Amino acid sequence: MDALVLLGSLAVFIAIGVPVAYSLGLAALVGALWIELPLEAVMIQLASGVNKFSLLAIPFFVLAGAIMAEGGMSRRLVAFAGVLVGFIRGGLSLVNILASTFFGAISGSSVADTASVGSVLIPEMERKGYPRAFATAVTVSGSVQAILIPPSHNAVIYSLAAGGTVSIASLFMAGVVPGLLLGLTLAIMCLFIAKKRNYPKGDPIPLRQALKIVGEAMWGLLTIVIILGGILSGVFTATESAAIAVVYAFFVTMFIYRDYKWSELPKLMHRTVKTVTIVMILIGFAAAFGYLMTLMQIPTKVTAAFTTVSDNRYVILALINVMLLALGTLMDMAPLILILTPILLPVVTALGIDPVHFGMIMMVNLGIGLITPPVGTVLFVGSAVAKLPIGVVTKATMPFFVALFTVLLLVTYIPGLSLWLPRALGL
């Protein structure tokens, strides 16, 4: 009955339109009153939920991504991708995927990826003869890479939701191979569609111009080297790397590229603070909600329920995938990670599944949810950038779900894809 009160009140608050973050907080209060827990205990858990050093990575990575997106770095990365693959038939779609790979490895955000890459490439692809809906579908599908490729904001949130038992560095490295595999699979799909629909080839870029483009893009690509190289070498932690990324992004944007006005910086900071505030409120309320779930032994009960269905890990993973895909269409990614990780992690660890591997399974599942209606955040951003109805973009995205589901199955049932690199690096 305790679990029904807690989870039922959460469902009711969400159903009547209360924002997810506040729904979690109110449901925690209802649950505390039901079991006669002092409300001070809930407040203590809320405060301790956001009082973690590792959480500093989120505002710093958000700020670094915003500086890079608005300071001209995304445009230069798109141009660099064009040098590499733009001359192939359907090359601009490959440029889109590759640019998302580069920018995702800098911003760690699918929304930022879609907004920055899409604003450059969707109009350009349409001008070159690609349907606008197809260009948007490529953009939103490619942006899912940012969830997997380090530095992913959601990997930080998963580490927090797992109680800090999974290191952020391990999760960052675990996402490299699945993220690149996703990009490769989407690129193959783009080539197949381009050949079938006879999309145009791009023009080769003259050597002098190509060298200039590569030179400008290297400043942005060095961000990836600094972040990952610093973490792997032990020079600084994942959290410290976020702060260094901000300093480097600021230096490159304001003193090397010099495309951004100093007068615009306060507005950029204001937008970043608003974004971070929403995330931190969500994390604090989710910590209180998770505390109530633990007191009510909900994770233990869910583990028992799953194991009564089957003791086969492959069957359990299939059931979890179906559940995550369904929930991902109804709620945003961050709250689902915070709510479901404390519930599902005991289930998978009881079956001998590595928590890092499960983190990648969850990322891919919920990443697909970001481009799936009715609550696909990235889908809405892509539609807004392209100025197209949601239904039109969704229909154009359908072929790319084949690639996404293929990668989901591979990541789910081949643990080595996620675990090989962290283990090779001794993480």
Side-chain angles (χ1 to χ4, degrees):
M1 187 64 183
D2 294 345
L4 181 61
V5 170
L6 181 67
L7 300 177
S9 59
L10 174 64
V12 169
F13 286 129
I14 292 174
I16 62 176
V18 178
V20 174
Y22 297 117
S23 295
L24 286 168
L26 290 171
L29 290 177
V30 171
L33 292 171
W34 175 259
I35 64 173
E36 299 181 351
L37 178 75
L39 296 184
E40 290 85 351
V42 178
M43 296 301 107
I44 290 171
Q45 292 300 318
L46 191 156
S48 64
V50 294
N51 188 25
K52 291 180 170 63
F53 176 74
S54 59
L55 281 180
L56 285 173
I58 295 177
F60 281 129
F61 276 132
V62 170
L63 179 57
I67 293 172
M68 295 171 192
E70 298 187 25
M73 195 172 290
S74 58
R75 176 169 52 81
R76 289 171 172 84
L77 291 174
V78 167
F80 176 62
V83 171
L84 298 178
V85 294
F87 55 90
I88 304 170
R89 182 171 299 282
L92 268 183
S93 60
L94 300 185
V95 170
N96 198 319
I97 299 295
L98 190 57
S100 289
T101 306
F102 291 147
F103 194 73
I106 293 172
S107 71
S109 167
S110 290
V111 172
D113 194 326
T114 299
S116 56
V117 174
S119 61
V120 176
L121 273 176
I122 291 175
E124 179 65 14
M125 288 179 71
E126 184 180 34
R127 191 174 68 83
K128 293 290 186 180
Y130 296 81
R132 179 172 279 257
F134 172 77
T136 310
V138 173
T139 303
V140 298
S141 301
S143 70
V144 177
Q145 295 174 91
I147 293 165
L148 299 170
I149 296 173
S152 167
H153 305 165
N154 291 288
V156 178
I157 294 174
Y158 174 79
S159 175
L160 170 75
T165 57
V166 185
S167 77
I168 297 173
S170 296
L171 291 168
F172 278 3
M173 292 303 103
V176 172
V177 175
L180 295 177
L181 177 63
L182 176 59
L184 177 62
T185 309
L186 290 171
I188 293 171
M189 181 64 68
C190 285
L191 288 173
F192 173 77
I193 294 173
K195 184 176 180 180
K196 183 178 179 181
R197 300 179 185 176
N198 197 32
Y199 287 150
K201 290 184 178 180
D203 298 322
I205 298 174
L207 179 60
R208 185 186 295 272
Q209 184 181 350
L211 291 174
K212 181 182 178 183
I213 290 171
V214 171
E216 290 184 345
M218 282 301 113
W219 290 103
L221 294 174
L222 271 174
T223 311
I224 304 171
V225 177
I226 291 170
I227 293 173
L228 298 186
I231 294 172
L232 296 178
S233 65
V235 175
F236 41 74
T237 66
T239 304
E240 291 164 349
S241 73
I244 291 167
V246 170
V247 175
Y248 181 78
F250 178 81
F251 172 76
V252 172
T253 298
M254 305 308 295
F255 296 102
I256 295 177
Y257 291 158
R258 292 183 290 184
D259 289 348
Y260 202 69
K261 297 178 181 178
W262 288 86
S263 60
E264 295 292 321
L265 277 176
K267 295 178 182 178
L268 185 147
M269 295 290 291
H270 180 256
R271 289 193 296 271
T272 301
V273 169
K274 284 180 64 177
T275 301
V276 171
T277 301
I278 294 168
V279 173
M280 290 303 175
I281 290 173
L282 174 62
I283 289 172
F285 285 143
F289 186 83
Y291 175 67
L292 266 295
M293 285 198 299
T294 303
L295 289 181
M296 296 176 180
Q297 297 184 321
I298 292 176
T300 305
K301 293 173 184 176
V302 172
T303 301
F306 268 107
T307 51
T308 55
V309 175
S310 174
D311 58 357
N312 187 309
R313 68 166 69 184
Y314 301 111
V315 174
I316 298 297
L317 284 174
L319 293 174
I320 289 175
N321 276 342
V322 171
M323 182 181 73
L324 290 174
L325 287 170
L327 290 173
T329 65
L330 301 174
M331 285 180 66
D332 205 4
M333 188 171 189
L336 280 175
I337 292 174
L338 291 165
I339 295 169
L340 295 177
T341 301
I343 297 175
L344 296 177
L345 198 56
V347 177
V348 297
T349 51
L351 296 170
I353 296 168
D354 193 288
V356 174
H357 176 213
F358 181 65
M360 292 304 106
I361 295 173
M362 182 172 276
M363 296 295 164
V364 179
N365 269 295
L366 300 182
I368 293 172
L370 289 178
I371 62 171
T372 308
V375 190
T377 310
V378 173
L379 184 68
F380 280 100
V381 173
S383 298
V385 171
K387 297 179 178 150
L388 286 174
I390 292 290
V392 173
V393 178
T394 301
K395 184 178 179 181
T397 308
M398 287 300 175
F400 295 99
F401 281 109
V402 175
L404 290 163
F405 286 129
T406 299
V407 173
L408 173 60
L409 291 174
L410 291 173
V411 169
T412 300
Y413 294 112
I414 307 178
L417 291 175
S418 304
L419 300 178
W420 169 75
L421 189 55
R423 288 174 177 174
L425 296 171
L427 297 173

PDB file of all heavy atoms in Angstrom, residues 300-312:
ATOM      1  N   THR A 300      13.408  -3.503  -3.761  1.00  0.00           N
ATOM      2  CA  THR A 300      13.422  -4.930  -3.416  1.00  0.00           C
ATOM      3  C   THR A 300      12.186  -5.634  -3.961  1.00  0.00           C
ATOM      4  O   THR A 300      12.269  -6.749  -4.499  1.00  0.00           O
ATOM      5  CB  THR A 300      13.476  -5.098  -1.885  1.00  0.00           C
ATOM      6  OG1 THR A 300      14.601  -4.384  -1.371  1.00  0.00           O
ATOM      7  CG2 THR A 300      13.581  -6.561  -1.501  1.00  0.00           C
ATOM      8  N   LYS A 301      11.049  -4.967  -3.861  1.00  0.00           N
ATOM      9  CA  LYS A 301       9.801  -5.564  -4.355  1.00  0.00           C
ATOM     10  C   LYS A 301       9.808  -5.689  -5.875  1.00  0.00           C
ATOM     11  O   LYS A 301       9.319  -6.679  -6.427  1.00  0.00           O
ATOM     12  CB  LYS A 301       8.617  -4.705  -3.896  1.00  0.00           C
ATOM     13  CG  LYS A 301       8.391  -4.708  -2.386  1.00  0.00           C
ATOM     14  CD  LYS A 301       7.321  -3.718  -1.966  1.00  0.00           C
ATOM     15  CE  LYS A 301       7.184  -3.674  -0.445  1.00  0.00           C
ATOM     16  NZ  LYS A 301       6.204  -2.631  -0.002  1.00  0.00           N
ATOM     17  N   VAL A 302      10.357  -4.681  -6.554  1.00  0.00           N
ATOM     18  CA  VAL A 302      10.434  -4.747  -8.017  1.00  0.00           C
ATOM     19  C   VAL A 302      11.371  -5.860  -8.456  1.00  0.00           C
ATOM     20  O   VAL A 302      11.102  -6.586  -9.413  1.00  0.00           O
ATOM     21  CB  VAL A 302      10.890  -3.387  -8.596  1.00  0.00           C
ATOM     22  CG1 VAL A 302      11.166  -3.508 -10.091  1.00  0.00           C
ATOM     23  CG2 VAL A 302       9.829  -2.323  -8.349  1.00  0.00           C
ATOM     24  N   THR A 303      12.499  -6.013  -7.746  1.00  0.00           N
ATOM     25  CA  THR A 303      13.438  -7.093  -8.053  1.00  0.00           C
ATOM     26  C   THR A 303      12.745  -8.451  -7.922  1.00  0.00           C
ATOM     27  O   THR A 303      12.889  -9.327  -8.790  1.00  0.00           O
ATOM     28  CB  THR A 303      14.646  -7.042  -7.101  1.00  0.00           C
ATOM     29  OG1 THR A 303      15.288  -5.785  -7.234  1.00  0.00           O
ATOM     30  CG2 THR A 303      15.630  -8.156  -7.423  1.00  0.00           C
ATOM     31  N   ALA A 304      12.000  -8.618  -6.843  1.00  0.00           N
ATOM     32  CA  ALA A 304      11.276  -9.880  -6.636  1.00  0.00           C
ATOM     33  C   ALA A 304      10.241 -10.113  -7.735  1.00  0.00           C
ATOM     34  O   ALA A 304      10.076 -11.237  -8.216  1.00  0.00           O
ATOM     35  CB  ALA A 304      10.590  -9.858  -5.265  1.00  0.00           C
ATOM     36  N   ALA A 305       9.562  -9.037  -8.153  1.00  0.00           N
ATOM     37  CA  ALA A 305       8.545  -9.169  -9.193  1.00  0.00           C
ATOM     38  C   ALA A 305       9.168  -9.593 -10.530  1.00  0.00           C
ATOM     39  O   ALA A 305       8.638 -10.470 -11.232  1.00  0.00           O
ATOM     40  CB  ALA A 305       7.804  -7.845  -9.360  1.00  0.00           C
ATOM     41  N   PHE A 306      10.297  -8.992 -10.881  1.00  0.00           N
ATOM     42  CA  PHE A 306      10.958  -9.355 -12.146  1.00  0.00           C
ATOM     43  C   PHE A 306      11.467 -10.795 -12.108  1.00  0.00           C
ATOM     44  O   PHE A 306      11.338 -11.535 -13.084  1.00  0.00           O
ATOM     45  CB  PHE A 306      12.120  -8.397 -12.423  1.00  0.00           C
ATOM     46  CG  PHE A 306      11.742  -7.205 -13.255  1.00  0.00           C
ATOM     47  CD1 PHE A 306      11.641  -5.952 -12.681  1.00  0.00           C
ATOM     48  CD2 PHE A 306      11.485  -7.323 -14.612  1.00  0.00           C
ATOM     49  CE1 PHE A 306      11.292  -4.838 -13.432  1.00  0.00           C
ATOM     50  CE2 PHE A 306      11.135  -6.226 -15.376  1.00  0.00           C
ATOM     51  CZ  PHE A 306      11.030  -4.974 -14.789  1.00  0.00           C
ATOM     52  N   THR A 307      12.061 -11.193 -10.986  1.00  0.00           N
ATOM     53  CA  THR A 307      12.640 -12.533 -10.911  1.00  0.00           C
ATOM     54  C   THR A 307      11.565 -13.616 -10.857  1.00  0.00           C
ATOM     55  O   THR A 307      11.847 -14.773 -11.173  1.00  0.00           O
ATOM     56  CB  THR A 307      13.557 -12.653  -9.689  1.00  0.00           C
ATOM     57  OG1 THR A 307      12.865 -12.204  -8.519  1.00  0.00           O
ATOM     58  CG2 THR A 307      14.810 -11.810  -9.876  1.00  0.00           C
ATOM     59  N   THR A 308      10.355 -13.262 -10.486  1.00  0.00           N
ATOM     60  CA  THR A 308       9.276 -14.252 -10.544  1.00  0.00           C
ATOM     61  C   THR A 308       8.816 -14.497 -11.977  1.00  0.00           C
ATOM     62  O   THR A 308       8.303 -15.568 -12.294  1.00  0.00           O
ATOM     63  CB  THR A 308       8.063 -13.801  -9.709  1.00  0.00           C
ATOM     64  OG1 THR A 308       7.640 -12.503 -10.152  1.00  0.00           O
ATOM     65  CG2 THR A 308       8.391 -13.751  -8.238  1.00  0.00           C
ATOM     66  N   VAL A 309       9.011 -13.508 -12.830  1.00  0.00           N
ATOM     67  CA  VAL A 309       8.665 -13.675 -14.248  1.00  0.00           C
ATOM     68  C   VAL A 309       9.650 -14.621 -14.919  1.00  0.00           C
ATOM     69  O   VAL A 309       9.276 -15.538 -15.653  1.00  0.00           O
ATOM     70  CB  VAL A 309       8.666 -12.311 -14.977  1.00  0.00           C
ATOM     71  CG1 VAL A 309       8.434 -12.501 -16.475  1.00  0.00           C
ATOM     72  CG2 VAL A 309       7.607 -11.401 -14.396  1.00  0.00           C
ATOM     73  N   SER A 310      10.953 -14.388 -14.674  1.00  0.00           N
ATOM     74  CA  SER A 310      12.001 -15.219 -15.268  1.00  0.00           C
ATOM     75  C   SER A 310      13.308 -14.966 -14.534  1.00  0.00           C
ATOM     76  O   SER A 310      13.524 -13.885 -13.987  1.00  0.00           O
ATOM     77  CB  SER A 310      12.166 -14.882 -16.758  1.00  0.00           C
ATOM     78  OG  SER A 310      13.262 -15.574 -17.316  1.00  0.00           O
ATOM     79  N   ASP A 311      14.165 -15.997 -14.544  1.00  0.00           N
ATOM     80  CA  ASP A 311      15.501 -15.809 -13.983  1.00  0.00           C
ATOM     81  C   ASP A 311      16.550 -15.705 -15.085  1.00  0.00           C
ATOM     82  O   ASP A 311      17.748 -15.717 -14.815  1.00  0.00           O
ATOM     83  CB  ASP A 311      15.850 -16.950 -13.026  1.00  0.00           C
ATOM     84  CG  ASP A 311      15.795 -18.313 -13.713  1.00  0.00           C
ATOM     85  OD1 ASP A 311      15.434 -18.371 -14.912  1.00  0.00           O
ATOM     86  OD2 ASP A 311      16.108 -19.320 -13.040  1.00  0.00           O
ATOM     87  N   ASN A 312      16.078 -15.580 -16.326  1.00  0.00           N
ATOM     88  CA  ASN A 312      16.960 -15.434 -17.478  1.00  0.00           C
ATOM     89  C   ASN A 312      17.262 -13.959 -17.697  1.00  0.00           C
ATOM     90  O   ASN A 312      16.358 -13.148 -17.918  1.00  0.00           O
ATOM     91  CB  ASN A 312      16.299 -16.033 -18.720  1.00  0.00           C
ATOM     92  CG  ASN A 312      17.228 -16.068 -19.917  1.00  0.00           C
ATOM     93  OD1 ASN A 312      17.832 -15.066 -20.275  1.00  0.00           O
ATOM     94  ND2 ASN A 312      17.333 -17.229 -20.546  1.00  0.00           N
TER      95      ASN A 312
END
